[in-house]
Structures are given as structure tokens and as C-alpha cells.
Amino acid sequence: MKNRTVTARFTAWATQYQDLFVPENKKQNIIIPIRSMQNLVQEHTQHLAEILFITSYPPRECGIATYSQDLIKALNNKFSNSLSLKVCALESGKTNYEYPGEVKYVLKTSIASDYEKLAVKINKDSKIKIVFIQHEFGFYRLQEQAFLQFLYTLTKPVAIVFHTVLPHPDEQLKAKIKSITEVAESVVVMTHTSSDILTKEYDVPVEKINVIAHGTHLVTHLSEKFLKKKYKLTGRKVLTTFGLLSSGKSIETTLEALPAIVKSHPEVMFLVIGKTHPEVVKEEGEKYREMLQQKVIDYALQDNVRFVNSYLPLPDLLEYLQLTDIYVFTTNDPNQAVSGTFAYAMSCACPIISTPIPHAKEVLTEDTGIIFDFRNSKQLAEGVLNLLNDEPLRKSMSLRTLEKIMSTTWENSAVAHAMMFKELIGGNITIKYNNPGIKLDHMLAMTTEVGIIQFSKVNQPDIKSGYTLDDNARALVAVCMDFKLTGNKKLVFEIHKYLSFIKLCQQPKGNFLNYVDKDLKFTDKNKVVNLDDSNGRAIWALGYLTSLSGLLPVELIEEAESIINKSLRHITAIHSPRSMAFIIKGLSYYQVAKKQVKILKIITAHADRLVKLYRHEASPNWEWFEGYLTYANSILPEALLSAWKLTGNNEYKSIAVTSFDFLLSQTFNENGIEVISNKSWMQKGKAAEKFGEQPIDVAYSVMALSKFYDELKNEDYYLKMNIAFNWFLGHNRLQQIVYNPCTGGCYDGLEETHANLNQGAESTVSYLMARLTVEKYRKKVNSLKG
């Protein structure tokens, strides 16, 4: 942390820059107080670190107000156990608003003395650890000198967000921006273009700049047909633009393009969503809107244009965007660095046609949208017609747009901001992720009357992919875990469904097939794929169900026992390491309840085979069962620990601990957990390949760490369990969420640069198993200091 004191540098600054802000007849000395190290370095306490946002804030109708509220909501959802987020609301003129509880201070931006008073309050407030300022030129234009004096009076670390970065500055503008950035420990911009401008044209050090994209909303992606019916747009091709209206939006560009569009597509409806900007209304009333309405009449477009003259609640706005076929962004300001409306449209998977603002040039490519020249209605018409005439292209753009924007969700923005706050505060804060509520919605949405469907396209179940024993076995485990936790009797029906699917897959000889098509016919894939692991997972699920004897209906327990007993001859002959491990895990649950000699013999036989594998392959630098690390690795040591618990054989325990610790050494690093890539297994003596991290392997790691902690009470296992679970929440190599709290689904993997957005059965159920595993420690987690 920098110790900003009165130095020759700041004295020179005062002399140099007061000419820029203070009229000749009102010059005065600018006083910069001493900032002591005592104010910069706070002792570690259990109190939450308070971040003060200085920003416009709802109910003020302003894009930055909405931005700040969305960011604060996201930060609270993810980090309320670490951060306390408060607001100093900016007000202009004579306006007065009724604010929500998080607003702690109000600054009248047109009154110079209020800046000084606010600085004093902030400096005296021991709770505030960072002052986080949203900067837009219009906010402070009436009192630029007072604003700058305010910044240099603060004794707290300052971070500032530039919502606009103007290229090609003159010397006066450059000096103003430099004077602001010099006082900030961190500067946030939303595009790499803005970052480049700051470094190359304003001489801002690159190490001071954080690029954090404008946040976007996760949406459930409702049916377009349903939404169009709801808003009386059935049969229409919908073009949409939204935002507070002003002449800078250049809505007339679209109106001028519409006659050519409507000629070919009379079904087009152009939605202009948003009321006129309050500051515009103050200056000129509804002059701009009235001009647009007259153009609609002049071009005879009354049946093709609809004005929605209101500041829509977010859920309504997102529904309008989800029914949109093409989003049109026509701003005429080439210096508009970023647009929240643009970002929101992308989050709803809208194909976009936009003027070439930096934000558009950075995120729109040939497969996500079209860029046209400012005010060029002819180019706009051509672009719209190109998309309207090519539905496959439009759908492809929609999917690519969603993939492109997913890294910018508010959840990911919250993670990036929290990491920045942690760096600014230093060692005085531990960032703790909030565990989301347990949500079975997506798993149940993926489940038919038969079982859980294998794959999804984004979050829509793909029935063509059919079903697998693997997924339904895991789903049975997850729903049983939830039932054990909640006692929710409605889940008994789902338990019966998944159990019935396992029974369906069992063959006369006791073995199981894995692949079932949508018509419930076994596919030829069962003949060419090794099914041992699937058989092992079935035993795991059945055994876990039997452990709920006394909680579940007797007939379910008896059915599971019957399936297990029918399989015993087959599973005894299995030699696949992971299949044996799953069998040990499942039969261990069964044995605790039944205590049968024949079951213990099978457990011991499989455990001995794992020991033999370990003895053959392990060496001082490779303490493992095979010459490679592949998938579901943690199930091997976990199985031996379960066998030790039942038999008391200390060799099982010793190998379990040694091999598990070796696995943890290969998968935990400064990024948290990085499980073995599914692209290429990690070979003995070779470095592991990166990327291709699967939720299922993280979930198995969480469950194994829980088992080892429960049995051995080693706190390191407990801490690693929480670190591993946080992988789903954003504590991973990409600092991106893998669990989608909007749908309750889990993305199918973490690739090199992005998450795979499909939310299939394997990943979703794996997340739920991990989430339900950590839930039993909730009281302990909440009692920890960090």
C-alpha cells in the first residue's frame, strides 16, 4: 500500500494543476494531508471489510446507478461473509431520493463544501477500508476542483472506475485524468481498448489498471414462443433497442432503415424500450421522443414500431430481450467506451448489430454480430435483412454470443472485484465464498418420467441424447443425500424413479448396461464400451440408498438390496480399479446396515487387489496405483479408507493416506484445485496437461476430502474440501463460475479460456453431490474466522 504524504511531488502537483480547475480570482492553496501508515495498515479483525461505493444509485434513473446496484447485489450474493458494501449516493441539482438501507452517505455534487465534509466523514469512519469511485465526466463537472481536492484529502485506499475513456486527449484533459489516476491505488476500465488508451495516451502505469468487463445477467432462457405470446408479438420478427432515450442513441438511424426492412419482412416489429433520460427531460422535455414518433408517422411505420415508454423492472427487460430476434445498437458517439444495454442484450443471446464503439469492436466477431458505420441506415438495413433471411446464422450467432459473454456475468465480475479489493486491503481480509442455496431445479428439469437425460444444450434437456446408468446412479445418490438432509417426502418419488432406471439396466446375469436411447432401448454402444465403471457406480448408488434404512420406505430399501444381491456374482469378478473402488464404497454402506460375511469378503478382495496394484506401481516419487492419473482418481484412496474402517486393516489406511496425499499434491496449487485434464491423462514422470477440468472430478475430490476429514480429523483435509468446492463458485484457474445459480445447473467443464456452457446431467448432479457434502459442515464453516 502506498503511503501518500505531503511531498515535493504533491506540492508540485498543487501548483501545476490548480490552474486547470480554479478560476484566477479564486486560487487557493490545495492542502494535502499526511497519510500515516497507521491508517493504511488495519489490524486483522473479525469485522467485515467495508467498501464504500461513491456512485449514482437507484431510485435515480441512470445507467451507472443500475450498474452499481447490480455489482453490489452480486458481491453480496457471493461475499457477504467477507465484505460490507455501502454507498455514498451522488445527487445533482435539487433532487432528493428515498434510498435503500445500503446508502450511508449522500453527496450533492454541485456543492463544493459537501466534498470536504464527506472526506472528513470517510476519514473518521474506521469501518471503511476502500473508497470505490464510479467516474463519469458529467458527475463532477460542476465542481472538478472540489472533487480532486476530495480525492487527495482521503486517507483511505482509493479505487476508481472510468466508465468513459476519451482517446486523443488535449493537454488539459490529459492532466486532469493523470491527476485522478495518481491518487488511485487501482483503476478499473471495462475494455482492453480503454486500458490501452490510458497507458498509451494518459501515461497511466499498466500495473495499476484492472480490466473488468461490464457485468451481464444470467438468465433462464425462457421459450421465445411463450414470451412473444405474453407480449402480444406472436408471428413477429422483433428488433429491439433499450435504454434511457437521448439524441445520442440515434434511434432515428433504425427508423430510417425500417422501410427497406419492412418491404421484405412486413412482420418486423421494432421495440424502443425506455423512458427519456431525466437530464434530457430537464433540458428539452420530450422533444427527441416526439421527433421519433413523427418519423414513424412520416414513414408509415405505425404497425412496425412500438414505444415502451418506461424504466422497466429488470425481469421484464430480460424477457423482452429474450424474445428479441436482433438487437440494434445505434449510438452515434464513437467515444462511448462501453454500454450496459449492449452487454445485457448479449447475456440474453441476442444477435447484435452495432455501431463501432470500442465495446462492440472488442466483443463482436463474424460469428456473434455485425458492425455498421455510424448513422448509416443503409448498412443497418442490409445487416438486418441478412440475419432475417438466414435463420441458421441467427441461431448460431445467438449461441456464440452467449459463449462469448458468459465470462462477464455479474457473478464473475463480483469475483474479479473481490480479488482486487483483497489485493488493495492486503493481509487484513480473507475472501470467503458464500455457499449458494441447494437447488434441485435443473436436475429435476432434466428428469423425465423415466430418469435423468444425459445431455443438455445450454440448459435445455436434449432428449435425443437418451439416458445412462451412470447419470441415474449419481442422481440417485444426490437425491438420497438431499432427502437425508431435509426429509423432503416429495423426493421419494424421484428416488423411486432413479432406482427403477437402475433396475431397468440390470441384466439377467446381474450385470448392468449403461446406454439407453430416448425410446428406452439399449444402444449398440453397450457392446463396444467397457461397462465396469458403470456397474461400480450402480453399486455405489444402491449401497448408499440402503444406508437410509429407517428413513426411506421399506420397499425401496428391499428393492435396492435385491438388485445388489443379484449383482454379487458379477461384481466379484470385476478387476477395473475404479469399478472396484466404487463397489467397495457402495458395499461399505450396505455392510454397515447388514453386516454380512459375504459382503465383507467382496470388499476385502477388492481392497486387496487395489493394494496389489499400488505395491506394483508406487515409487518414492509416484505414490499411486497406476502409471498415470486419469479420471475419478480420488475414489481409489477413498475406497481403501472405507475398507480400513470396516476391517481395521492398517495397511489399507496407510496406502489410502499416502496415495491421497500424493494426489492432492498433484491437483492443488495457487489457483485452488486443478483436477487432471480430460484431454490427456497425466503420465508418470511427465507434466500434466492443462485445461479440460471436469466438475465430476472436483466433486469426487470434495467427497473424498470429506471422508478423510471425518475419519482422520486432519484439518488440512477440511480446508482443502472447501477450497475444492469453491472451484464451482469461481475459485479456479479462470476465476469464473462453473455453477449457474440462475438455473441450478453446472457447466460441463472448464476449458482453456471459458466454461463449456452446456449443463448436462453429469456436471449438474456432480455439483449437487459436492454441495450436499459441504452442507453438513455449515455450522463449522460459519464459525471459522477465515
Side-chain angles (χ1 to χ4, degrees):
M1 196 67 63
K2 297 178 181 177
N3 180 19
R4 286 179 294 176
T5 60
V6 177
T7 63
R9 180 169 71 85
F10 287 109
T11 303
W13 170 88
T15 303
Q16 178 181 356
Y17 291 124
Q18 68 173 336
D19 286 334
L20 300 175
F21 302 97
V22 188
E24 188 67 31
N25 62 343
K26 292 186 178 180
K27 285 185 179 179
Q28 54 186 330
N29 292 328
I30 297 177
I31 302 171
I32 305 164
I34 295 177
R35 173 182 293 198
S36 68
M37 288 302 295
Q38 186 175 4
N39 288 331
L40 291 174
V41 182
Q42 304 291 335
E43 292 184 359
H44 179 70
T45 69
Q46 294 183 25
H47 297 299
L48 303 181
E50 185 171 304
I51 314 298
L52 181 68
F53 282 63
I54 298 183
T55 178
S56 58
Y57 206 68
R60 179 173 175 178
E61 293 172 345
C62 161
I64 294 176
T66 303
Y67 166 91
S68 295
Q69 187 178 55
D70 285 340
L71 176 56
I72 286 171
K73 181 180 179 181
L75 282 163
N76 275 326
N77 284 342
K78 292 193 75 70
F79 301 111
S80 61
N81 289 321
S82 305
L83 304 172
S84 173
L85 306 166
K86 300 297 181 182
V87 175
C88 171
L90 302 176
E91 291 186 354
S92 61
K94 297 180 180 179
T95 55
N96 290 283
Y97 298 102
E98 292 288 332
Y99 290 109
E102 60 266 26
V103 174
K104 188 173 186 177
Y105 303 115
V106 174
L107 174 63
K108 294 286 188 180
T109 57
S110 60
I111 303 174
S113 59
D114 279 13
Y115 289 85
E116 182 180 354
K117 293 175 184 176
L118 177 62
V120 171
K121 290 178 182 178
I122 292 172
N123 290 340
K124 288 182 177 180
D125 192 333
S126 61
K127 294 181 180 179
I128 297 174
K129 300 297 184 283
I130 295 174
V131 181
F132 191 46
I133 301 171
Q134 307 299 312
H135 180 276
E136 185 57 79
F137 289 97
F139 282 167
Y140 313 105
R141 62 184 174 83
L142 297 178
Q143 294 293 342
E144 289 182 328
Q145 189 270 334
F147 172 63
L148 197 58
Q149 174 71 56
F150 164 78
L151 291 178
Y152 276 88
T153 302
L154 290 174
T155 59
K156 310 282 186 175
V158 172
I160 191 159
V161 182
F162 283 109
H163 288 261
T164 298
V165 179
L166 298 174
H168 317 303
D170 58 24
E171 287 303 313
Q172 186 178 50
L173 176 59
K174 181 176 180 179
K176 287 180 182 180
I177 298 302
K178 285 189 67 175
S179 66
I180 293 171
T181 59
E182 283 175 355
V183 80
E185 270 78 7
S186 182
V187 173
V188 177
V189 292
M190 299 180 200
T191 67
H192 292 281
T193 300
S194 295
S195 175
D196 290 342
I197 293 171
L198 282 181
T199 55
K200 295 175 182 177
E201 300 185 37
Y202 291 89
D203 301 325
V204 178
V206 66
E207 61 271 14
K208 184 178 279 193
I209 299 173
N210 288 279
V211 179
I212 304 177
H214 192 296
T216 55
H217 292 280
L218 291 169
V219 296
T220 53
H221 298 287
L222 300 172
S223 163
E224 178 185 314
K225 183 178 180 181
F226 165 77
L227 291 173
K228 284 187 174 180
K229 182 179 180 180
K230 176 178 178 180
Y231 290 99
K232 297 179 172 57
L233 290 164
T234 299
R236 308 301 292 261
K237 286 288 188 289
V238 179
L239 314 182
T240 300
T241 194
F242 86 92
L244 294 170
L245 256 60
S246 68
S247 59
K249 301 286 186 183
S250 195
I251 305 298
E252 62 272 20
T253 302
T254 305
L255 296 180
E256 291 162 5
L258 274 179
I261 297 169
V262 170
K263 184 177 180 180
S264 297
H265 289 275
E267 75 278 13
V268 162
M269 173 64 75
F270 177 40
L271 301 180
V272 183
I273 301 174
K275 63 192 297 185
T276 304
H277 198 294
E279 298 301 319
V280 173
V281 173
K282 288 179 185 178
E283 295 180 9
E284 60 180 47
E286 293 288 354
K287 180 180 176 181
Y288 181 65
R289 181 181 297 274
E290 290 166 359
M291 181 273 289
L292 296 176
Q293 291 170 335
Q294 185 59 49
K295 276 188 175 291
V296 171
I297 295 171
D298 293 343
Y299 293 141
L301 295 169
Q302 292 93 325
D303 293 333
N304 302 97
V305 179
R306 182 188 298 179
F307 289 91
V308 183
N309 186 11
S310 62
Y311 195 82
L312 291 179
L314 179 64
D316 294 351
L317 174 60
L318 294 177
E319 286 190 349
Y320 270 113
L321 291 173
Q322 287 178 76
L323 64 80
T324 295
D325 293 284
I326 302 172
Y327 186 79
V328 182
F329 186 76
T330 55
T331 181
N332 57 24
D333 180 6
N335 295 322
Q336 182 174 349
V338 70
S339 166
T341 66
F342 184 100
Y344 284 20
M346 291 192 77
S347 72
C348 292
C350 297
I352 294 177
I353 300 180
S354 173
T355 48
I357 65 168
H359 193 180
K361 290 192 289 186
E362 205 159 287
V363 301
L364 288 188
T365 56
E366 289 183 359
D367 59 354
T368 57
I370 296 173
I371 293 177
F372 72 101
D373 293 335
F374 295 104
R375 295 189 173 91
N376 194 323
S377 58
K378 183 175 183 295
Q379 286 184 5
L380 174 56
E382 291 171 351
V384 170
L385 289 171
N386 182 37
L387 291 181
L388 289 179
N389 292 330
D390 192 341
E391 185 174 355
L393 174 61
R394 214 165 59 244
K395 289 186 175 180
S396 174
M397 276 189 173
S398 180
L399 181 58
R400 299 287 87 78
T401 295
L402 198 59
E403 291 175 348
K404 187 92 172 182
I405 205 69
M406 194 51 62
S407 64
T408 70
T409 62
W410 283 115
E411 288 74 9
N412 288 330
S413 180
V415 172
H417 280 88
M419 295 305 106
M420 180 184 70
F421 295 152
K422 179 181 180 180
E423 184 176 346
L424 290 177
I425 296 172
N428 302 322
I429 180 175
T430 298
I431 296 296
K432 293 175 284 187
Y433 289 77
N434 297 344
N435 287 345
I438 297 169
K439 188 173 181 178
L440 304 184
D441 299 38
H442 188 58
M443 183 180 78
L444 297 180
M446 291 282 291
T447 301
T448 68
E449 68 279 1
V450 173
I452 192 165
I453 296 169
Q454 184 176 11
F455 296 140
S456 75
K457 295 179 178 179
V458 188
N459 68 322
Q460 299 302 309
D462 180 11
I463 187 61
K464 293 179 181 179
S465 67
Y467 309 86
T468 67
L469 171 65
D470 284 335
D471 292 329
N472 282 274
R474 284 186 287 258
L476 180 60
V477 172
V479 76
C480 283
M481 291 174 73
D482 193 273
F483 178 80
K484 182 179 180 180
L485 178 71
T486 65
N488 183 357
K489 293 182 179 179
K490 293 180 180 179
L491 296 178
V492 172
F493 178 72
E494 306 301 328
I495 291 172
H496 181 268
K497 188 182 298 182
Y498 300 132
L499 177 61
S500 296
F501 188 90
I502 294 175
K503 184 177 181 180
L504 170 72
C505 292
Q506 190 169 36
Q507 302 302 292
K509 293 183 178 180
N511 62 304
F512 301 86
L513 299 183
N514 187 41
Y515 301 100
V516 181
D517 69 16
K518 63 184 180 65
D519 299 317
L520 299 187
K521 296 178 180 178
F522 292 109
T523 74
D524 290 340
K525 196 172 181 180
N526 290 292
K527 300 175 182 178
V528 296
V529 175
N530 188 309
L531 302 180
D532 284 355
D533 286 359
S534 301
N535 280 247
R537 291 186 189 96
I539 300 303
W540 167 36
L542 294 164
Y544 184 68
L545 189 154
T546 64
S547 74
L548 302 186
S549 179
L551 298 176
L552 285 172
V554 173
E555 56 268 25
L556 289 179
I557 303 296
E558 291 177 346
E559 184 77 88
E561 290 177 354
S562 173
I563 299 171
I564 289 174
N565 285 320
K566 185 177 179 180
S567 72
L568 292 180
R569 182 186 296 272
H570 170 70
I571 65 175
T572 301
I574 283 177
H575 286 73
S576 170
R578 280 155 192 77
S579 180
M580 291 191 296
F582 281 118
I583 291 167
I584 292 171
K585 187 173 180 178
L587 292 184
S588 294
Y589 287 118
Y590 186 52
Q591 178 67 5
V592 169
K594 293 299 177 180
K595 296 181 173 57
Q596 296 180 3
V597 173
K598 64 180 179 179
I599 299 299
L600 188 60
K601 283 184 177 180
I602 297 173
I603 291 171
T604 302
H606 283 324
D608 287 343
R609 289 171 187 168
L610 290 179
V611 168
K612 186 176 180 180
L613 287 172
Y614 179 85
R615 288 173 176 168
H616 180 268
E617 197 62 50
S619 63
N621 296 320
W622 188 264
E623 297 166 315
W624 196 244
F625 305 85
E626 302 160 307
Y628 41 78
L629 291 171
T630 60
Y631 61 94
N633 296 298
S634 58
I635 190 67
L636 300 176
E638 183 187 359
L640 279 183
L641 193 68
S642 296
W644 162 74
K645 182 70 175 177
L646 285 172
T647 65
N649 185 330
N650 284 325
E651 186 177 23
Y652 295 165
K653 176 185 176 183
S654 175
I655 293 175
V657 171
T658 301
S659 61
F660 193 48
D661 288 349
F662 168 75
L663 176 63
L664 297 179
S665 74
Q666 302 300 309
T667 54
F668 278 81
N669 56 36
E670 67 278 3
N671 294 323
I673 188 172
E674 286 188 54
V675 292
I676 304 303
S677 169
N678 71 336
K679 296 181 181 298
S680 176
W681 306 137
M682 179 182 176
Q683 302 294 326
K684 183 177 182 179
K686 297 182 180 179
E689 185 172 330
K690 297 290 185 181
F691 321 129
E693 300 166 58
Q694 300 296 293
I696 190 169
D697 283 318
V698 178
Y700 286 153
S701 297
V702 169
M703 299 174 84
L705 284 159
S706 170
K707 177 72 172 179
F708 274 78
Y709 173 72
D710 288 347
E711 299 299 342
L712 305 178
K713 302 305 178 188
N714 182 333
E715 197 73 15
D716 186 55
Y717 294 138
Y718 174 77
L719 295 174
K720 280 187 168 65
M721 179 193 71
N722 284 289
I723 291 171
F725 179 72
N726 288 342
W727 179 90
F728 292 100
L729 309 182
H731 186 194
N732 51 52
R733 173 177 48 81
L734 294 181
Q735 292 190 359
Q736 293 184 21
I737 58 168
V738 185
Y739 169 67
N740 184 321
C742 178
T743 64
C746 179
Y747 300 136
D748 278 353
L750 205 60
E751 307 301 337
E752 181 175 358
T753 60
H754 63 280
N756 180 334
L757 299 187
N758 295 325
Q759 299 162 48
E762 177 182 292
S763 55
T764 294
V765 175
S766 294
Y767 165 79
L768 283 171
M769 291 190 297
R771 176 66 185 88
L772 289 160
T773 297
V774 300
E775 180 64 14
K776 67 181 180 180
Y777 304 101
R778 182 167 55 87
K779 291 182 179 179
K780 179 179 177 64
V781 171
N782 290 340
S783 70
L784 287 181
K785 295 181 180 179

